[in-house]
Amino acid sequence: MRSIGGKVQVIDYYEHLSPQEILYALTSRSELQDKHSNIVSTKANTLLTLKEQLRFSSIEDILIITVKQAKENPANVARIIKERFTNKKIVVRSSSVKEDSFESSNAGHFESVLGIQPDDSEAVLAAIQEVYNSYSKDGFVDEEEQILIQTQTENVRYSGVVFTRDIQQNRPYYIINYDDSGSTDSVTSGASGKSIYIAQDASIEAIPVQWQNLYRAIKELEGILTKMLLDIEFAITKDDRVFIFQVRPLAASYKFGRISDTQSLLQIKNTYKEGYKKCSIQNKTSLLSDMAF
């Protein structure tokens, strides 16, 4: 490999990172907590697993450090980050085992710090400390807890979250909550947001053009993480590229059950749709209304 300019990179935890392992870990977290520690089911490891599999979206460059590394040798951590992310702003993000289970997402519970210059070691270490402090507010912090460093996505047109199910009534829609101000955290922080609903059996041609690439990205993620209802954090840049920031179980929908039986819901929807079509009398148009009087 070296003779042709190649490089062999050994990733110790690769065997645990199949989509099946992630799903199993999220389903049986209490059983796997000791077995895998932070190997699976964290934000960082899920993104790392997906990064090389995605064709319709991208995941920014990833560096994972542990709380132990940050505490024992902060200068070395700062040096590695500076070398890895030259001339790019970074975001320092939480990646705790307390996030992203079927039962609860803990979305927004821990801190993320945006807009850090990687060559500003003081700012980098302060951001890492801020994320660590947000872990410690819940008590004991395992030293193997992860902190995720990523390139910050620039030139953002839309950002927000997608739910792959209507969490209120379990209807088969993709619900896109988004912001078009260029911010990447206004929706996830609860500061702002607009919404659009897209039926899961909609044709790509029927979808507004600005959401078509995101629709393809959602379908691809569902194909990888099968039978999971998903909560996807995303951004769409001004050149129409889709970036994925987070993929986790849609905890709010699992009150309806853990298995995503979308097809049966679509069949119910289409049955009602055909019933409405038959309401037409003598070729006159049927008008459907709510509280018509």
Side-chain angles (χ1 to χ4, degrees):
M1 287 295 293
R2 292 193 184 97
S3 70
I4 61 171
K7 179 180 179 182
V8 177
Q9 181 69 48
V10 179
I11 305 175
D12 295 336
Y13 46 78
Y14 177 79
E15 64 186 274
H16 302 298
L17 291 178
S18 69
Q20 292 79 9
E21 279 286 337
I22 293 172
L23 177 59
Y24 180 56
L26 290 168
T27 307
S28 313
R29 173 158 301 185
S30 60
E31 299 172 16
L32 295 186
Q33 190 83 27
D34 294 333
K35 178 181 176 183
H36 291 316
S37 184
N38 290 331
I39 298 303
V40 298
S41 76
T42 63
K43 179 191 303 179
N45 283 333
T46 301
L47 290 175
L48 193 61
T49 304
L50 293 170
K51 185 172 173 58
E52 300 305 320
Q53 299 188 53
L54 301 179
R55 294 182 302 134
F56 294 107
S57 60
S58 302
I59 293 173
E60 294 282 15
D61 194 17
I62 292 173
L63 176 67
I64 302 170
I65 63 171
T66 64
V67 167
K68 181 178 181 180
Q69 289 171 327
K71 289 170 65 177
E72 289 186 350
N73 198 339
N76 186 54
V77 167
R79 179 187 61 78
I80 292 171
I81 291 172
K82 179 180 179 180
E83 292 175 355
R84 178 71 170 271
F85 298 97
T86 305
N87 298 323
K88 301 175 183 177
K89 286 184 181 178
I90 60 171
V91 54
V92 181
R93 310 179 64 197
S94 64
S95 180
S96 170
V97 294
K98 297 176 183 177
E99 298 175 287
D100 306 344
S101 71
F102 278 110
E103 288 74 23
S104 62
S105 71
N106 268 333
H109 187 65
F110 302 115
E111 294 294 332
S112 291
V113 185
L114 287 75
I116 304 298
Q117 295 291 348
D119 56 354
D120 186 344
S121 297
E122 186 175 335
V124 168
L125 295 177
I128 291 172
Q129 185 65 44
E130 186 173 343
V131 174
Y132 168 75
N133 288 343
S134 71
Y135 291 171
S136 62
K137 65 186 178 184
D138 286 340
F140 173 76
V141 181
D142 190 313
E143 289 197 331
E144 294 305 312
E145 281 275 44
Q146 296 174 331
I147 296 173
L148 171 61
I149 319 296
Q150 285 188 280
T151 306
Q152 182 165 316
T153 305
E154 303 283 358
N155 300 314
V156 171
R157 176 178 286 136
Y158 302 109
S159 68
V161 296
V162 177
F163 300 153
T164 61
R165 186 66 61 81
D166 168 20
I167 63 176
Q168 301 300 326
Q169 301 182 53
N170 200 36
R171 295 174 298 179
Y173 290 92
Y174 298 123
I175 303 176
I176 306 172
N177 297 317
Y178 70 97
D179 175 72
D180 53 9
S181 69
S183 168
T184 57
D185 66 345
S186 59
V187 172
T188 53
S189 67
S192 174
K194 305 173 183 177
S195 296
I196 182 172
Y197 284 61
I198 297 176
Q200 292 194 4
D201 58 349
S203 67
I204 190 72
E205 296 80 11
I207 298 170
V209 65
Q210 66 266 38
W211 303 117
Q212 289 182 3
N213 286 346
L214 179 61
Y215 180 81
R216 294 184 181 96
I218 296 166
K219 289 292 189 184
E220 182 176 52
L221 286 167
E222 287 184 313
I224 295 170
L225 296 170
T226 58
K227 297 185 178 180
M228 290 179 65
L229 303 178
L230 302 176
D231 175 347
I232 303 163
E233 188 177 337
F234 73 92
I236 303 173
T237 59
K238 293 178 181 178
D239 58 357
D240 296 320
R241 294 182 64 193
V242 176
F243 285 86
I244 302 299
F245 298 147
Q246 188 161 351
V247 181
R248 57 190 171 204
L250 182 54
S253 272
Y254 280 95
K255 58 179 178 269
F256 300 109
R258 291 191 174 189
I259 301 302
S260 171
D261 188 12
T262 300
Q263 196 56 44
S264 65
L265 293 173
L266 291 173
Q267 288 172 358
I268 293 170
K269 187 196 81 161
N270 288 325
T271 298
Y272 280 112
K273 180 179 176 181
E274 292 304 313
Y276 283 127
K277 286 181 178 179
K278 292 176 182 178
C279 289
S280 179
I281 301 173
Q282 296 179 351
N283 296 322
K284 293 182 179 180
T285 302
S286 299
L287 301 180
L288 308 179
S289 65
D290 193 24
M291 299 189 68
F293 63 89

